[in-house]
Amino acid sequence: MRLPPAIVTSTEEILRDILRFTGPADGTLSRFFREHPKLGSRERGAIAEGIYGVLRNKSVYTSFSESGNGPTMRRMTLLGLAGAVGADSLGGLSEEETAWLEHTMQIDRTLLPPLMRSNLPQWLFDKLVAREGEEGALALAAALNEPAPLDLRVNVIKASREEVMTALAEAPILAEVTPFSPVGLRVLKKPALQNLPLFRDGLIEVQDEGSQLLAQIVGAKRGEMVVDFCAGAGGKTLALGAAMRNTGRLYAFDISEKRLAKLKPRLARSGLSNVHPVLIAHENDAKIKRLAGKIDRVLVDAPCSGLGTLRRNPDVKWRQTLVGVAELNVKQISILAGAARMVKTGGRLVYATCSLLDEENEAIVTAFLAAHADFVLVPMKSVLAEQRVELEMQDYLKLTPSQHQTDGFFAAVFERIKTV
């Protein structure tokens, strides 16, 4: 069954707005869907996937849309929708548009220039090529330009992974165990989970396997005092609380009341009672100073460029800039230093980002260690062995979609030592 012609028009309208890059694409889409409640799930899905298809393939589609007749934006829209649902599903196309689509979609992309093929901005492509070589950069770009799978974290205080797999199969929803996270499942399609009793009752949470591993390497234990320093909506907070088996005390700090508000319904579903959300003004808030030297483990999932999440947020690569990254570096150093004060002697501090850039990752670690003689780096190889995670790493956790089928993540673990 073909989509009505109005879907093409609506998608073009939203795309025009999103390509101004004044804000996140998902927010613009959500607002449009709220304003058009009569759209069915099929239409919503086609519009969203069409938009994300353009954002993932913007360099190529921009070049392709410069051929043919008519408005360029309409041709970009057609390419996005055709890639998402197939050209045969689009209603209201002229014969000329249909012929142009068929021809354009058959172009061999391997013949295109590397930068265009990567669908990355020049500055980011250059950085990846400098580190990975052109072939490695193109492989990473290709993986970043694929839609992400749907990963779930099993809430182990309510159910085992096997029990959840069985319940999903009865739904019926096919899932497989994640290769690295011991509490993860990868759903083979993308069903609506919100109405499942498993979700409503807090037995599962949507969480990328890489994010699950970040919580795992914190190593939070029963009865400890733990801080999730940049908790946001609390995905890792909930994973930490479950790892602690709902004992001890887990603080969820964030500077955004709106983000912490999103944690509350998830917390209620989870069954956790050891989590304490705390709104802070900044990384030097008095609430943090009161915990100086008292905390066993601190996770700093720092504000970052988000370039490791391009599978889910492809607009980020077009909105982020070198200047923006430099501004984030200042925040990252300051936040890590603020969080470090809470760690007690023998305690651990985990610095993490969802970035692929060395200046947000290794460079921050180097700067931190140079300024904090009372902390040492714990090799990630040792941390993963402690946690029985079968993953080959050296000093740092470095996950990529091309190698590990996760979002791009970086993490380093520090331990506070006694100083003379």
Side-chain angles (χ1 to χ4, degrees):
M1 193 172 92
R2 290 194 169 192
L3 291 164
I7 295 302
V8 177
T9 308
S10 294
T11 307
E12 183 182 348
E13 177 190 333
I14 307 165
L15 183 62
R16 197 179 300 277
D17 193 9
I18 284 174
L19 289 182
R20 294 188 181 100
F21 298 119
T22 54
D26 58 354
T28 304
L29 270 171
S30 297
R31 187 171 64 249
F32 179 84
F33 291 147
R34 283 196 304 272
E35 292 168 356
H36 297 80
K38 291 183 180 179
L39 284 170
S41 59
R42 181 171 177 250
E43 286 83 3
R44 287 170 180 245
I47 291 170
E49 289 305 316
I51 293 291
Y52 279 91
V54 172
L55 292 169
R56 289 190 179 100
N57 297 277
K58 189 169 87 71
S59 297
V60 170
Y61 285 0
T62 299
S63 177
F64 287 176
S65 65
E66 288 168 357
S67 66
N69 298 314
T72 302
M73 191 65 70
R74 179 173 171 85
R75 288 198 296 279
M76 283 186 74
T77 303
L78 294 178
L79 287 167
L81 287 169
V85 300
D88 294 342
S89 298
L90 304 181
L93 272 58
S94 67
E95 287 184 16
E96 186 181 11
E97 285 177 327
T98 301
W100 175 81
L101 259 183
E102 288 176 358
H103 167 73
T104 305
M105 293 188 76
Q106 289 173 5
I107 293 173
D108 184 353
R109 294 197 189 186
T110 62
L111 302 176
L112 299 173
L115 174 62
M116 188 186 298
R117 202 158 81 234
S118 76
N119 281 291
L120 296 175
Q122 180 83 57
W123 70 269
L124 179 55
F125 182 66
D126 289 346
K127 280 186 174 293
L128 295 183
V129 169
R131 191 180 70 200
E132 312 279 346
E134 188 175 280
E135 189 177 332
L138 285 171
L140 179 53
L144 288 166
N145 285 327
E146 287 293 322
L150 178 60
D151 290 354
L152 307 177
R153 179 184 58 80
V154 175
N155 181 359
V156 292
I157 68 167
K158 288 197 169 187
S160 70
R161 184 156 67 169
E162 291 69 29
E163 288 169 339
V164 170
M165 276 190 83
T166 301
L168 285 171
E170 291 168 359
I173 294 171
L174 290 176
E176 60 188 18
V177 297
T178 46
F180 309 118
S181 169
V183 294
L185 291 171
R186 183 157 292 155
V187 178
L188 303 183
K189 291 186 179 179
K190 290 195 177 179
L193 298 171
Q194 288 86 345
N195 297 322
L196 285 180
L198 282 172
F199 181 81
R200 288 201 311 267
D201 297 340
L203 277 69
I204 54 172
E205 277 284 339
V206 175
Q207 188 176 26
D208 182 79
E209 185 186 17
S211 181
Q212 294 178 39
L213 287 172
L214 288 187
Q216 184 91 8
I217 65 171
V218 174
K221 296 174 183 173
R222 292 172 184 264
E224 289 187 330
M225 288 183 70
V226 179
V227 171
D228 185 355
F229 198 66
C230 305
K236 295 178 195 69
T237 307
L238 299 176
L240 291 169
M244 295 164 72
R245 295 288 172 172
N246 204 19
T247 64
R249 196 167 183 85
L250 173 56
Y251 293 99
F253 286 167
D254 205 273
I255 60 169
S256 168
E257 193 168 5
K258 188 176 179 181
R259 284 196 293 265
L260 285 177
K262 290 180 181 178
L263 168 60
K264 288 182 180 177
R266 300 173 77 185
L267 194 53
R269 284 197 307 270
S270 74
L272 294 172
S273 57
N274 64 338
V275 178
H276 303 273
V278 180
L279 181 68
I280 57 173
H282 44 70
E283 62 269 24
N284 298 310
D285 194 299
K287 295 170 189 171
I288 297 163
K289 291 178 182 177
R290 284 197 289 270
L291 295 173
K294 296 179 180 177
I295 305 298
D296 295 286
R297 298 170 197 268
V298 178
L299 170 62
V300 177
D301 182 14
C304 69
S305 63
L307 292 167
T309 69
L310 296 184
R311 300 184 305 170
R312 303 169 199 283
N313 308 301
D315 56 312
V316 167
K317 61 187 173 183
W318 308 115
R319 292 194 292 114
Q320 193 54 264
T321 64
L322 278 170
V323 172
V325 171
E327 290 171 353
L328 283 164
N329 295 157
V330 176
K331 288 183 185 175
Q332 288 154 354
I333 290 170
S334 179
I335 288 169
L336 187 55
R341 288 188 221 136
M342 293 185 290
V343 182
K344 71 182 187 182
T345 301
R348 286 192 176 177
L349 171 66
V350 178
Y351 173 75
T353 74
C354 50
S355 173
L356 303 165
L357 302 180
D358 295 345
E359 52 262 63
E360 294 188 90
N361 298 333
E362 291 94 333
I364 301 298
V365 171
T366 301
F368 176 78
L369 288 172
H372 295 79
D374 53 340
F375 280 88
V376 294
L377 185 73
V378 183
M380 191 57 61
K381 189 174 184 178
S382 303
V383 176
L384 293 170
E386 288 172 6
Q387 296 299 314
R388 297 189 177 93
V389 176
E390 294 184 10
L391 192 55
E392 288 293 320
M393 294 286 160
Q394 294 306 314
D395 284 346
Y396 308 120
L397 182 75
K398 297 167 100 172
L399 300 172
T400 66
S402 51
Q403 285 184 282
H404 307 101
Q405 291 74 56
T406 66
D407 285 347
F409 282 106
F410 171 90
V413 177
F414 310 99
E415 189 165 301
R416 189 165 213 157
I417 58 172
K418 286 183 180 179
T419 53
V420 180

